[in-house]
Amino acid sequence: MKALVWHGKEDIRCDTVPDPQIEEATDAIIKVTSCAICGSDLHLFHNFMPGMKKGDVMGHETMGIVVEVGSAVKKLRVGERVVIPFTIFCGECEQCRRGYFSACERSNPNKKAADLAFGHSTGGLFGYTHLTGGYPGGQAQYLRVPFADATHIKVPDSDLSDEQLLFLSDIFPTGWQAAVQCDIQPSDTVAVWGCGPVAQFAIRSAVLLGAKQVIAIDHLPERLSMARAGGAITINFDEESVLERLQELTHGKGPEKCIDAVGMEAHATRSLDSMVDKAKQTVMLGTDRPHVLREMMYVCRPAGTLSVPGVYGGFLDKIPFGAAMNKGLTIRMGQTHVNRWTTDLLHRIESKQIDPSFVITHKAPLEQGPDLYRTFRDKADGCVKVMMIPN
């Protein structure tokens, strides 16, 4: 089959690789009908995340049709249409029973390495590093799905398109969880840093959850325009001071709730700390560029909440933790517990509260994936979200 394969820093190729096979009785195989490039994939593209190996198949936003099931699979049948969450989970361990699916205790076969790196292992993830299992990803014509009875979202019999459903795999529930973690009240101002794909869903989720106002921060015109279309007031950090504008919009009090939808690769062009972070990262004296996290801790209203769906990879420098502690800020973060939210979100799609296809700006065959990684990285040609068709 064809798949997008990691060969090293900024080297993704469309290769021919072996078709996946049933390895455990609990597996299923799906024929991929659509997949996408995620901002998290760029962390791998730039080789900022440890644990990648040459030959790893990329991708964790995938949907398709079941073509084979293992002997122990009871909830899926050949021919059914499914979305595959990026988190692999057994559905039976203590964490899964509590709804913390991304912390599944059974789905990471490299648990010992992850225990050493993180203190305790997380669950397995598709198409990510070997610290999260080294599972082949879904930017491919076929995908093996472990723990298939749990690790799927069944698509109802309807005329909903792949474009409407694909992002249930990651960015829609990730944006939704980011907003839910804020415990939004009707009097709240929610500030969202970044206007990429996850941020676009966080913005719309905050609006759906009843925030008084939502403020979106970025510098790319097409992303800011998309955020305004979703109901946000926008700040272009290239043209005005984020701190001053947030003070103005909140009457000097600061936003009650702040969402970091950027993560480890912040691009604050006029920020000294961001420039220092980038220099440290270049010479391997630092792993992340946490400008957004610093700024949120500084501007958030006392007793407010910081929600962090943006991915971080290692050790962060010069974090104003004293400000966060003394202001009594609550910080909530983590990989998304996708299937905790998808029943509700699917209903919202079916009832036309939201059409997730709004975020797609580029759609192409899988073979164009290597070039589209660069387009997505450079934000060229107005690129916000890439959807690919493998078959």
Side-chain angles (χ1 to χ4, degrees), residues 132-175:
T132 54
Y135 289 98
Q139 290 171 4
Q141 292 181 306
Y142 293 88
L143 176 68
R144 170 183 166 248
V145 181
F147 299 104
D149 271 344
T151 306
H152 73 268
I153 303 154
K154 195 171 294 187
V155 175
D157 292 328
S158 70
D159 59 358
L160 292 174
S161 66
D162 278 23
E163 288 86 347
Q164 292 172 291
L165 295 167
L166 174 60
F167 304 124
L168 287 171
S169 61
D170 180 357
I171 58 174
F172 189 6
T174 294

Side-chain angles (χ1 to χ4, degrees), residues 194-196 200 203 216-230 232-240 384:
C195 290
Q200 297 293 341
I203 289 163
I217 302 157
D218 206 297
H219 70 137
L220 297 171
E222 58 277 4
R223 295 188 177 209
L224 291 167
S225 176
M226 190 178 282
R228 285 192 294 272
I233 300 166
T234 58
I235 298 174
N236 185 330
F237 64 72
D238 277 345
E239 297 178 357
E240 57 187 332
V384 178

Side-chain angles (χ1 to χ4, degrees), residues 7-315:
H7 284 268
K9 183 177 180 180
E10 299 181 1
D11 187 1
I12 303 293
R13 305 177 196 173
C14 187
D15 290 344
T16 298
V17 301
D19 289 354
Q21 305 293 323
I22 296 289
E23 298 178 16
E24 303 287 344
T26 50
D27 291 349
I29 306 293
I30 70 162
K31 180 180 181 180
V32 178
T33 56
S34 59
C35 58
I37 300 176
C38 182
S40 299
D41 293 326
L42 291 182
H43 304 323
L44 309 181
F45 183 72
H46 294 143
N47 200 25
F48 287 151
M49 299 293 287
M52 291 297 291
K53 296 181 181 179
K54 184 176 180 179
D56 287 345
V57 177
M58 299 285 289
H60 58 266
E61 293 179 300
T62 311
M63 67 177 294
I65 298 168
V66 179
V67 294
E68 189 177 357
V69 295
S71 60
V73 174
K74 306 300 182 186
K75 297 181 181 179
L76 286 179
R77 293 177 302 188
V78 170
E80 288 187 310
R81 192 168 167 229
V82 289
V83 178
I84 303 302
F86 77 95
T87 49
I88 300 167
F89 63 101
C90 70
E92 299 174 352
C93 70
E94 183 180 354
Q95 293 284 36
C96 286
R97 291 197 302 271
R98 297 168 68 197
Y100 299 137
F101 302 121
S102 69
C104 176
E105 296 170 323
R106 297 175 58 201
S107 62
N108 188 348
N110 297 331
K111 183 180 183 302
K112 289 184 178 179
D115 284 345
L116 185 63
F118 302 139
H120 294 281
S121 174
T122 65
L125 305 178
F126 286 106
Y128 225 60
T129 84
H130 287 259
L131 288 175
T132 54
Y135 289 98
Q139 290 171 4
Q141 292 181 306
Y142 293 88
L143 176 68
R144 170 183 166 248
V145 181
F147 299 104
D149 271 344
T151 306
H152 73 268
I153 303 154
K154 195 171 294 187
V155 175
D157 292 328
S158 70
D159 59 358
L160 292 174
S161 66
D162 278 23
E163 288 86 347
Q164 292 172 291
L165 295 167
L166 174 60
F167 304 124
L168 287 171
S169 61
D170 180 357
I171 58 174
F172 189 6
T174 294
W176 182 262
Q177 179 172 299
V180 169
Q181 286 178 160
C182 289
D183 187 24
I184 293 170
Q185 303 300 310
S187 59
D188 282 346
T189 290
V190 180
V192 182
W193 273 255
C195 290
V198 167
Q200 297 293 341
F201 284 104
I203 289 163
R204 285 157 177 78
S205 297
V207 170
L208 285 171
L209 290 168
K212 180 178 72 175
Q213 67 176 347
V214 180
I215 302 167
I217 302 157
D218 206 297
H219 70 137
L220 297 171
E222 58 277 4
R223 295 188 177 209
L224 291 167
S225 176
M226 190 178 282
R228 285 192 294 272
I233 300 166
T234 58
I235 298 174
N236 185 330
F237 64 72
D238 277 345
E239 297 178 357
E240 57 187 332
S241 166
V242 174
L243 306 186
E244 291 176 6
R245 184 70 172 131
L246 284 175
Q247 287 289 88
E248 177 186 335
L249 290 168
T250 61
H251 307 290
K253 294 183 176 181
E256 288 88 355
K257 309 294 165 63
C258 297
I259 296 175
D260 174 1
V262 176
M264 67 187 294
E265 294 188 69
H267 294 84
T269 54
R270 299 196 302 176
S271 161
L272 177 61
D273 72 306
S274 188
M275 289 188 284
V276 172
D277 287 340
K278 192 167 186 177
K280 287 183 175 180
Q281 198 176 56
T282 300
V283 297
M284 302 183 71
L285 290 176
T287 58
D288 300 48
R289 305 196 298 266
H291 168 78
V292 168
L293 201 57
R294 297 186 190 107
E295 192 162 77
M296 290 201 318
M297 288 180 172
Y298 186 74
V299 305
C300 190
R301 187 175 183 176
T305 298
L306 311 182
S307 178
V308 186
V311 172
Y312 286 88
F315 298 96

